[in-house]
Amino acid sequence: MNNLNIAFRNTLRNKGNNFIKILSLAIGLTVGLVLIAKVVFELSFDRFYPDNDRIYQVYSNYGYEGEEMEPYERTSGAIAWGMKNEINEVENSTRYTFIGEGVYTEKKEFLSAEIIIADENLFDVLQRPILIGNAKEILSMPMQCLVSRTIAEKIGMDDIVGKTITLSSQPYKPVVISGVFEDIPENANVLYDIVISLKSIDNFTWDGSENWLGNDRYYSYVKLSKGVKPESISEQIWAMQERHQDMEELSKAGVNIGYFLVDIKDVHTNDETVRLLILVFSVLAIVLLLTSILNYTLIVVSSLVNRTKEIAVHKCYGASGFNISRLMFLETFIHLILALILSSTAIILLKNTIEKLLDTSLQALFAPQIIFILFIVCAIIFIISGFLPSYLFSKIPVAAAFQRARESHRRWKIVLIFIEVAATSFLITLLFIIGLQYNKMINKDQGYSFENVLYVEDHIDGVQVRDNIAQELRKLSDVKEVSQCYWLPIWGASGNNVFEIGEDKQLFNIADFYFVDENYLSLLEIPIIEGRNFVRGESGLGEMLVSESFITMMEETAGWKDGVVGKSVHVTEHGTQTIIGVFGELNLSTSGMDKDDRPAVLFYDQDGKYGPEYTYNFLIKMHRVTPGIMENVAAVFRAFAPDEHVVIKSYEEEFKKGFSMMLTFRRGVLICSIITLLIALIGLIGYLNDETNRRRSEIAIRKINGATIKDIQGLFITNILKTIIPAVIIGIIAAIFAANSFMKNFAEKAHLSFILYVLCAVCIVAIILAVVSINSYKASVRNPMENLAKD
C-alpha cells in the first residue's frame, strides 16, 4: 500500500512529464487495440456455430483441358443433398441461394434485407436460436419463411406469424412469415435476414435444386460425424459423382469436375483480401504499439537523472532493488490504467468514424472473447513498459555519479529514438506505396466510361412501363442518354460456355452480361471494333456482341482464322447465337486483386421476353450530377412506379466501393503513420530537452568563445543525423520487403522507383531536422551565464 501511495504521488508530482507519457501511450493504445480487435474479429468468423469443428462448406473444383481453374464456392443444387443421402459419414447437409435484397411489408413499407432460399436442414447444420416456430417444418412448406429478430421487430414481433412480405424484385408473390430466428452475428461469412423455403424456388426463379450439373448457385454445407476427416470421404464423393454425372460426356467436352470440403472456420480467411487485411493490420498494430511502448520508456529513461536523488534516498531508508522495481511497475500500472481510460473514451467518441473505416460495429469489435485477448495484449504491454525502467532504476547506486548516469543512460535513449524513427520510416514509406497501388487500380482504363453515370436497380414489372420511364428521363435537360440492361461491369460477371455448332467439346468460358438494349455501348462509350451494334426493331434473341478477346479464343480453340462476325456458336443457357459485332475489351476485375481474362458477351432482348425474372437496370448518362438533378431523376421513377423503392446510385461511387478494402488499408496506414510520427516527435523533443540540459555548460562555453546560433544548431543536427539516417534507411528497406509481399496480391502492380524511396527518406529527415532546428534554436539563444549558473 505504501508503494502504491508513493506511485500516486509521483504521478501527480511531475504532471507535465507524466501527462506526455500517458498521452502518447493512450494515442498508441487507441489505434493499436482497435486494429488488434479488427484482426481478431476477422479470425473469429463462423466460430459461433455449435459443432463448428465438424461443419464444412462444399467447393467445386473445375478444370478444362487439364488446366485447373480457381476453386468455386458454390455447387449445383443436388450435391449437398446427395452427400447426406449417399455417404454414411455425412451426418447432415444443407444448401441455400440468395434471391433478393429487400422486401415490402403488408403496409407497403420497404425493408432492406438479405434474402435466401434454403432447404429444411439449414438450422440443423448452421444452428441459430429459433425464437418462434419450428424451422424444419416451416422450411418444408412452399411460400413460407422465417425472419430475423431485427426484421420481426420492425414489422411487429407480437403478431408476426401469419403476416406476409413480398420481394422487392417480385412484389406480386406474397410469402407468409411463420417463424423468427436470432440475428446472424457480424462475424458470419454469409449474412442473411430472411429465409424462404426451398420448396418455393420455382415461384421466383428456375428450380435447379436437384441438378447434379449446372446452375451452380448454391452454397452447400455438410456436417460430418464425430471423428470423420474430410479426406476420408473423398473417394465416396467421387463415386457419388460417377453415379449421377455423365463423366464420359464431360470428358469429351474436355471438362473435369470435383468437390472438396473446406472447414467453415477457414472459409473467410481463405479470401486473399481478408488475409491481406489481417497481415497489414497486424503489422500496423505491432509497429504502433511498439512505438508507444518505446516512447513511454524513452520518456521514463529521460527522467532518470532527475530522479537519481529520489531513488538514492529510498535506498538510504532500506529500499532494496526489488522494492524499487515494484515501485516502477506500480507507476507503470497507474499510467497504463489512465492511458486505457483515455483510450476507451476516445474510442467511444470516435465510434461512428471507427465503424465506417472498419465496416464493423464497435459492439462486434469489442465482444467479450475479443476483450479477453485485448486484456492479454495490455498485460504484455504492461510487462514490457515496466521492465526496462524498473531494471534501470533498481540498479542506481546510492552514491550515483550524476555525469556517469547521464552518459550511460543516454545510450538507451539513442537506441529508443533509433527504433522509433525506423518504425516511422517504415509506415510512411508503406503509406506512399499503398497510395500508388490504390491510384493504379482506380485510374486503370476500364474499357468504358462511367463519368456522370447513374444507375437504378430496377424491379419494375412491365416492359411498357420501363420504356415510358426511359422516354420521360430523356426529356430531362440534364440527361444525355438512357439504357436498360441486365448486368453491369461493376458487378463482375457470371459465366457460360461456348461450343461450335454441332460439337460436344466445350471451347472456353465467357463473361456473360446477358441482355442489353441498343444504347448500352454508346452510353458507356464502348467502341464497336467490327460489325455493328444492336438495332431496335431489327435485332432479336439470336444475336450477340462479343469483346475482342473472343476472336483470339476462337482462333486458338476452334481454328477460326477469318474472324467471327457473321458466324454462329452455341452458348449454354442461350442456345445458337449469331455474332453481329465486336466491341472493345472490358476490365472485368472488381477489386484489382483478381484478373478475369474471359471474353465478354452481350445479348439483345428488346421485347423483355426474359423479364421480370431477368430484372432490368437503368443506366442514365448525365451532363452533370448534383443532388438536385438526382432528385429530378427520382421523381420520374416515382411518377410511373409510386409503390417501388427506387434507389439511384452513382456508378463512379459504387465503382470505388469495389476498392474499399484497399482504401481501408491506405487510411489505416495513414492514421498509423501520423500517430507514429507524432509519438516519435514527442520522444525526440524529450530527448533534445534532456540533451540541452546535459550540455548546457558546453553550449555556454562555446557561445562565450564565439560560436554562432548556426554553430550550436549544427552541433545538435550533426549529432542526431548519426542516429536517424541509418534508422530511416533500415525503415525504408523493411517497407520495401513488406511492399513486395503486399503487391503479390494484385494482378497489376504500381511501378515503384528508387526515386520514391529517396523522396520518402528526404521527407522524414526534413521533418525531424525541422524539429531539431526549432528546439536547438531555443538553446542557442539562451544567455550563457544562465546556463553556467544552473550547473
Side-chain angles (χ1 to χ4, degrees):
M1 180 61 70
N2 188 45
N3 276 337
L4 187 60
N5 289 332
I6 294 172
F8 269 116
R9 288 202 301 270
N10 287 339
T11 300
L12 295 174
R13 184 183 303 155
N14 193 357
K15 296 178 182 178
N17 191 48
N18 286 327
F19 176 75
I20 292 174
K21 283 191 289 187
I22 293 167
L23 180 62
S24 63
L25 192 58
I27 292 171
L29 285 173
T30 300
V31 181
L33 293 182
V34 167
L35 292 177
I36 291 174
K38 177 63 173 176
V39 169
V40 176
F41 172 79
E42 295 295 330
L43 293 170
S44 70
F45 268 58
D46 291 333
R47 293 178 182 271
F48 59 86
Y49 288 119
D51 298 325
N52 59 65
D53 58 323
R54 296 196 284 137
I55 302 173
Y56 296 84
Q57 184 173 347
V58 185
Y59 273 62
S60 301
N61 207 7
Y62 291 99
Y64 177 67
E65 295 289 349
E67 182 178 342
E68 291 295 323
M69 300 169 65
E70 285 292 321
Y72 188 51
E73 62 181 354
R74 281 170 272 181
T75 73
S76 301
I79 301 303
W81 174 84
M83 288 184 180
K84 177 194 174 186
N85 287 279
E86 300 189 20
I87 301 175
N88 292 332
E89 289 82 355
V90 175
E91 184 177 298
N92 210 336
S93 71
T94 189
R95 78 270 203 201
Y96 63 81
T97 182
F98 282 91
I99 199 66
E101 293 184 355
V103 296
Y104 289 106
T105 66
E106 292 176 345
K107 298 178 181 179
K108 297 300 180 182
E109 296 173 337
F110 177 81
L111 297 178
S112 179
E114 293 287 348
I115 310 159
I116 64 171
I117 288 185
D119 67 21
E120 65 274 14
N121 298 319
L122 177 69
F123 292 109
D124 292 333
V125 178
L126 304 176
Q127 296 180 39
R128 293 299 296 153
I130 304 300
L131 307 180
I132 297 176
N134 184 313
K136 202 173 190 70
E137 290 182 3
I138 294 167
L139 295 179
S140 298
M141 296 182 289
M143 302 306 284
Q144 303 279 312
C145 74
L146 294 98
V147 299
S148 68
R149 177 199 287 271
T150 296
I151 295 296
E153 288 173 349
K154 288 178 179 178
I155 296 175
M157 178 74 86
D158 293 338
D159 56 347
I160 189 72
V161 175
K163 290 187 175 180
T164 61
I165 53 175
T166 55
L167 275 65
S168 59
S169 57
Q170 301 185 53
Y172 42 85
K173 296 178 180 178
V175 181
V176 178
I177 300 173
S178 300
V180 179
F181 61 90
E182 188 58 77
D183 290 346
I184 306 297
E186 286 182 54
N187 58 339
N189 195 47
V190 180
L191 300 171
Y192 50 87
D193 306 288
I194 298 173
V195 186
I196 300 175
S197 64
L198 188 60
K199 301 283 187 182
S200 317
I201 193 168
D202 58 353
N203 289 281
F204 302 102
T205 188
W206 182 71
D207 183 5
S209 60
E210 296 183 5
N211 271 37
W212 286 96
L213 279 174
N215 195 226
D216 297 355
R217 63 178 299 167
Y218 293 88
Y219 293 87
S220 300
Y221 295 84
V222 296
K223 183 176 182 179
L224 301 183
S225 301
K226 290 182 179 180
V228 176
K229 299 298 180 184
E231 54 271 17
S232 67
I233 64 170
S234 56
E235 292 185 4
Q236 296 181 67
I237 293 175
W238 180 252
M240 178 190 74
Q241 288 183 246
E242 290 182 317
R243 287 192 292 272
H244 299 284
Q245 295 174 345
D246 194 333
M247 294 300 182
E248 186 176 341
E249 287 299 315
L250 287 172
S251 180
K252 286 181 181 178
V255 176
N256 60 282
I257 181 172
Y259 304 98
F260 63 96
L261 307 184
V262 177
D263 191 324
I264 192 173
K265 301 186 294 297
D266 297 332
V267 169
H268 184 67
T269 51
N270 281 345
D271 185 282
E272 288 183 1
T273 305
V274 174
R275 289 203 302 270
L276 186 58
L277 181 145
I278 291 171
L279 173 64
V280 172
F281 279 15
S282 297
V283 171
L284 292 179
I286 292 170
V287 171
L288 189 56
L289 290 175
L290 180 62
T291 305
S292 299
I293 294 169
L294 292 174
N295 194 64
Y296 176 86
T297 306
L298 175 63
I299 298 172
V300 173
V301 172
S302 297
S303 68
L304 187 61
V305 173
N306 296 329
R307 297 190 65 182
T308 301
K309 289 182 180 179
E310 174 196 338
I311 301 302
V313 170
H314 280 297
K315 289 197 171 184
C316 286
Y317 281 91
S320 64
F322 174 76
N323 297 132
I324 301 300
S325 293
R326 185 169 60 180
L327 176 63
M328 292 301 103
F329 268 109
L330 281 172
E331 287 186 16
T332 302
F333 178 74
I334 292 170
H335 296 162
L336 182 61
I337 293 298
L338 292 174
L340 284 171
I341 292 172
L342 285 176
S343 176
S344 301
T345 303
I347 289 170
I348 292 170
L349 293 175
L350 296 170
K351 176 179 180 291
N352 292 336
T353 302
I354 292 170
E355 291 181 342
K356 183 178 179 180
L357 287 174
L358 300 182
D359 195 27
T360 310
S361 72
L362 216 58
Q363 182 179 0
L365 278 178
F366 293 96
Q369 65 271 24
I370 296 180
I371 289 178
F372 175 73
I373 293 174
L374 295 181
F375 174 80
I376 295 174
V377 172
C378 289
I380 295 171
I381 292 172
F382 165 66
I383 294 169
I384 296 174
S385 301
F387 173 76
L388 183 59
S390 67
Y391 172 79
L392 293 177
F393 277 77
S394 66
K395 294 299 181 182
I396 294 176
V398 174
F402 283 19
Q403 183 62 32
R404 188 173 67 251
R406 288 179 183 179
E407 292 297 333
S408 173
H409 298 302
R410 178 175 173 273
R411 289 192 294 270
W412 278 106
K413 289 182 274 186
I414 291 174
V415 170
L416 295 174
I417 286 288
F418 180 94
I419 297 174
E420 286 186 9
V421 172
T424 304
S425 304
F426 169 80
L427 288 179
I428 290 177
T429 307
L430 193 61
L431 172 65
F432 274 92
I433 293 170
I434 290 177
L436 284 175
Q437 182 62 31
Y438 177 74
N439 290 333
K440 169 79 175 179
M441 296 187 302
I442 288 293
N443 297 321
K444 175 182 169 57
D445 181 14
Q446 302 299 312
Y448 61 97
S449 173
F450 48 77
E451 184 179 3
N452 293 331
V453 172
L454 304 176
Y455 74 91
V456 177
E457 295 179 57
D458 167 29
H459 303 304
I460 299 167
D461 185 24
V463 175
Q464 190 58 53
V465 175
R466 291 199 298 270
D467 284 345
N468 291 340
I469 291 173
Q471 291 175 22
E472 197 66 26
L473 286 171
R474 291 189 180 99
K475 295 177 182 179
L476 298 178
S477 60
D478 291 299
V479 173
K480 291 178 68 175
E481 185 56 271
V482 179
S483 174
Q484 296 180 58
C485 62
Y486 172 71
W487 205 251
L488 304 178
I490 196 175
W491 298 331
S494 59
N496 266 308
N497 300 318
V498 175
F499 297 80
E500 282 192 277
I501 302 296
E503 298 291 334
D504 295 330
K505 186 177 179 180
Q506 172 189 315
L507 298 178
F508 52 88
N509 192 258
I510 54 171
D512 193 345
F513 284 86
Y514 290 87
F515 303 103
V516 302
D517 68 8
E518 64 279 1
N519 301 313
Y520 183 83
L521 293 179
S522 59
L523 187 148
L524 292 175
E525 299 179 26
I526 302 172
I528 290 285
I529 308 299
E530 295 180 36
R532 62 174 176 82
N533 192 6
F534 297 124
V535 179
R536 189 175 183 84
E538 296 180 16
S539 297
L541 287 173
E543 294 185 346
M544 66 185 287
L545 293 169
V546 302
S547 65
E548 280 187 279
S549 58
F550 193 97
I551 301 174
T552 304
M553 293 301 295
M554 288 304 298
E555 184 176 338
E556 292 177 355
T557 59
W560 288 13
K561 303 293 184 181
D562 53 350
V564 298
V565 175
K567 296 183 179 180
S568 298
V569 292
H570 178 84
V571 182
T572 52
E573 204 175 345
H574 296 277
T576 299
Q577 297 286 325
T578 300
I579 302 166
I580 64 168
V582 179
F583 57 88
E585 206 63 41
L586 305 180
N587 178 30
L588 304 180
S589 173
T590 56
S591 68
M593 300 181 71
D594 55 337
K595 190 172 184 179
D596 192 341
D597 293 326
R598 295 176 300 164
V601 299
L602 303 171
F603 299 93
Y604 192 68
D605 182 23
Q606 174 187 322
D607 298 325
K609 294 179 181 178
Y610 282 86
E613 292 175 6
Y614 278 73
T615 304
Y616 278 87
N617 303 284
F618 278 93
L619 278 173
I620 310 162
K621 181 81 167 183
M622 314 294 294
H623 291 287
R624 60 195 177 99
V625 175
T626 66
I629 290 172
M630 293 180 72
E631 174 55 32
N632 293 338
V633 171
V636 173
F637 282 92
R638 287 197 297 269
F640 286 90
D643 295 329
E644 296 294 329
H645 179 75
V646 176
V647 178
I648 301 171
K649 298 180 181 180
S650 163
Y651 196 109
E652 184 173 0
E653 289 179 6
E654 296 301 313
F655 169 78
K656 289 181 178 178
K657 285 181 181 179
F659 303 95
S660 59
M661 188 67 72
M662 189 66 182
L663 188 58
T664 299
F665 293 154
R666 192 175 71 166
R667 287 172 176 168
V669 177
L670 174 61
I671 292 169
C672 291
S673 297
I674 293 172
I675 291 174
T676 305
L677 179 61
L678 178 63
I679 292 171
L681 291 179
I682 290 173
L684 179 62
I685 291 170
Y687 166 76
L688 292 171
N689 289 336
D690 291 337
E691 282 295 283
T692 301
N693 290 331
R694 185 178 71 86
R695 304 180 69 173
R696 55 179 172 246
S697 295
E698 177 190 347
I699 294 169
I701 293 169
R702 286 178 181 271
K703 288 196 70 176
I704 292 170
N705 288 322
T708 64
I709 292 175
K710 288 185 178 180
D711 293 332
I712 302 300
Q713 286 182 311
L715 188 68
F716 283 93
I717 289 173
T718 302
N719 186 44
I720 203 69
L721 281 175
K722 295 176 183 178
T723 301
I724 66 169
I725 288 180
V728 169
I729 292 172
I730 289 175
I732 290 176
I733 291 173
I736 292 172
F737 280 106
N740 288 336
S741 177
F742 174 78
M743 302 286 263
K744 288 178 183 177
N745 297 280
F746 298 94
E748 295 189 40
K749 302 169 179 58
H751 175 65
L752 304 177
S753 67
F754 178 74
I755 295 175
L756 169 69
Y757 305 125
V758 172
L759 288 174
C760 289
V762 169
C763 289
I764 297 162
V765 172
I767 292 171
I768 293 173
L769 290 185
V771 172
V772 174
S773 297
I774 293 169
N775 202 276
S776 60
Y777 177 79
K778 296 177 183 178
S780 64
V781 297
R782 194 174 298 157
N783 190 324
M785 301 310 295
E786 290 181 9
N787 284 340
L788 291 173
K790 289 181 179 179
D791 272 4

